[in-house]
Amino acid sequence: MIEAALPPGPGAAGLEPVSTVHPTHVQVPPPLPPGARGALIGTARRVDEADVAVMESAIRQAGYVPVRGPHLLAQHYQWAGTDAQRLSDLQWALDAPDIAAVLCARGGYGTSRLLDAVDLSGIAARPKWVVGYSDVTVLLAALYRVGV
């Protein structure tokens, strides 16, 4: 095991071992019932209407209701809107009581730009499913650190 070969104490970069950032309890959101509403948002790269239509069709076929974030189709350079627009959609999706899942439409780059400003206290108190890949992994890691 690699950990056994490492000396105790802070790592080479002065960081605490990974085990110290694990929450003592991770809350798992409840299963999604048929008809649950999922917020489709863009936290990173932009998406176009054709891609969103395919996503919405797949969500409906799975028995859920897609709900577009207000800025889902916004474009700012390569992103799905400005940082403020993407942050607004993310915060809305995390906090809205009628949204059971947050579905990040695309990875790429841009989610990490939102992390210092997003408030995770609502989802930590009322966990919900957050789905994404690539760049969205940084959001998933932040959620894990707060116990979701």
Side-chain angles (χ1 to χ4, degrees):
M1 181 181 266
I2 293 174
E3 293 166 349
L6 296 176
L15 301 174
E16 287 298 316
V18 172
S19 61
T20 63
V21 299
H22 291 290
T24 57
H25 176 71
V26 175
Q27 301 178 84
V28 177
L32 294 176
R37 295 165 50 91
L40 192 54
I41 62 168
T43 60
R45 300 281 298 201
R46 65 181 181 226
V47 293
D48 61 28
E49 180 64 42
D51 291 334
V52 171
V54 171
M55 292 175 213
E56 289 175 326
S57 176
I59 293 165
R60 284 189 192 97
Q61 286 179 1
Y64 306 114
V65 178
V67 180
R68 290 185 184 196
H71 304 103
L72 177 61
L73 294 174
Q75 294 186 13
H76 181 71
Y77 298 102
Q78 75 267 23
W79 297 294
T82 64
D83 287 359
Q85 290 172 320
R86 291 179 291 113
L87 176 62
S88 173
D89 282 8
L90 175 59
Q91 197 67 65
W92 160 77
L94 293 174
D95 294 343
D98 63 326
I99 297 296
V102 179
L103 310 167
C104 299
R106 187 171 178 188
Y109 170 71
T111 306
S112 61
R113 296 167 57 106
L114 311 178
L115 287 186
D116 286 341
V118 69
D119 178 3
L120 299 177
S121 62
I123 192 170
R126 293 171 310 282
K128 56 180 75 176
W129 294 101
V130 178
V131 180
Y133 67 98
S134 180
D135 183 63
V136 178
T137 305
V138 72
L139 173 61
L140 300 175
L143 290 167
Y144 178 76
R145 290 186 79 162
V146 298
V148 177

